Amino acid sequence: MSEKAGSKRRVDLIKSRIVEHALKVHETVEALRQLFDASLKDPSKVGEYFEKIYVLEHEADKLKRGIISELRLAYLHPIDRED
C-alpha cells in the first residue's frame, strides 16, 4: 500500500469519526430539549434526562479526544496552535 493510500484512509477514518461526533452532539442537544420540555410538563423525568445528557456529553468528549489524537498523528503543523 502506498503512503498516499494510507494517508487517504486515515483522512476517511477521521471524517467518519467527525460525523459520528456530530451525531452524538445532535443526540445530546435533543436530550437537552427533552429535559427542558420535561421541566415544564413532567418534572419527575428531569433526573432521567439529566443523566442521559451527562452520559452523552462524556461519549461526545471521548470521540472528540480521539479525533484530536488522530489529527495529531496524521498531520504535522509547523505553526504552534496558539499562533
Side-chain angles (χ1 to χ4, degrees), residues 1 7 12 21 29-32 38-39 43 45 51-52 54 59-61 71 76 79-80 82-83:
M1 171 175 34
S7 178
D12 290 343
H21 178 260
V29 171
E30 179 59 27
L32 183 60
S39 70
K45 297 226 179 213
E51 181 64 30
K52 181 178 180 179
Y54 182 81
E59 291 173 359
D61 286 344
L71 287 171
L76 296 175
I79 299 172
D80 189 11
E82 293 182 12
D83 293 341

Side-chain angles (χ1 to χ4, degrees), residues 54-79:
Y54 182 81
V55 169
L56 290 169
E57 282 183 327
H58 284 287
E59 291 173 359
D61 286 344
K62 184 177 178 182
L63 289 167
K64 180 182 69 177
R65 284 190 297 274
I67 291 165
I68 291 170
S69 293
E70 283 292 326
L71 287 171
R72 285 186 187 141
L73 294 172
Y75 304 106
L76 296 175
H77 297 283
I79 299 172

